[in-house]
Amino acid sequence: MRRAIKITIVLALLAVPSAALAANTSQPQAINCQTLKFKPQRITLSCGDGNTWLGKLKWSSWSKTQAVANGNFTANNCSPSCVAGHTHSVGIQVTLSKPKTCPNQVNPAFKQAVIAYKGKRPNGAPLKVNFRCPAGLPGAY
C-alpha cells in the first residue's frame, strides 16, 4: 500500500509542468504590455502602437528588488507616418525596480524602469518609465 502511494505521488509530481513550478518562485517579473515576463529580451514601452521598445536585453542581474540589463532603446520616428517611418536605436542600460504584486498574480512585477543612454538620448526618449499592471487583470492600476 505504501509503495502504491509513493508511486502515485511521484507520478503526480512528474505530471506538473516545470513551467508551473518555475512560475511560483517569488521572483519579480517585467511588465511587458499585457503580460508579465521573467528576463524578457524585449520590453515594449508604447503598448498602443508598439513604436517604442527596449530590445536585445541581456540581463546582468535579477533580484527581488531590482534587475539590470544592457540593450537598445528603439523608436520609430513616424516620419512621414508611423507606417512609413524608420526605427532608430541607441545603446542603453535599464534598471527595473519598485516591485509590487499585480492583482491576481503570484509573483511581483517591477513597476519602474530607469534608462541610462550610452549615446545621445533621442528627443523625447524617457529617462524613467512607470509601468501599470496589465489591463487584462482585474483591479489593474
Side-chain angles (χ1 to χ4, degrees), residues 83-114:
V83 172
H86 300 340
T87 58
H88 300 278
S89 297
V90 63
I92 55 106
Q93 181 178 68
V94 61
T95 302
L96 302 179
S97 63
K98 300 192 177 180
K100 186 171 182 177
T101 302
C102 288
N104 298 325
Q105 294 296 308
V106 174
N107 296 324
F110 289 115
K111 300 287 285 178
Q112 187 175 84
V114 174

Side-chain angles (χ1 to χ4, degrees), residues 5-132:
I5 292 172
K6 286 181 186 179
I7 291 172
T8 302
I9 291 171
V10 169
L11 291 174
L13 289 174
L14 291 174
V16 176
S18 60
L21 293 173
N24 192 9
T25 63
S26 297
Q27 283 292 322
Q29 309 284 304
I31 296 174
N32 194 359
C33 295
Q34 298 303 312
T35 61
L36 301 178
K37 294 188 176 181
F38 182 71
K39 294 186 179 183
Q41 292 180 351
R42 178 176 172 150
I43 298 173
T44 302
L45 300 179
S46 56
C47 296
D49 60 16
N51 281 319
T52 309
W53 65 89
L54 306 176
K56 298 184 179 179
L57 297 173
K58 298 206 184 323
W59 299 95
S60 58
S61 67
W62 192 287
S63 73
K64 291 180 185 257
T65 57
Q66 76 173 23
V68 179
N70 289 295
N72 291 328
F73 169 84
T74 303
N76 184 337
N77 66 6
C78 291
S79 180
S81 68
C82 291
V83 172
H86 300 340
T87 58
H88 300 278
S89 297
V90 63
I92 55 106
Q93 181 178 68
V94 61
T95 302
L96 302 179
S97 63
K98 300 192 177 180
K100 186 171 182 177
T101 302
C102 288
N104 298 325
Q105 294 296 308
V106 174
N107 296 324
F110 289 115
K111 300 287 285 178
Q112 187 175 84
V114 174
I115 304 167
Y117 294 85
K118 296 181 179 180
K120 184 175 185 241
R121 184 173 136 226
N123 290 338
L127 292 171
K128 187 186 305 181
V129 176
N130 292 310
F131 297 106
R132 298 171 58 97

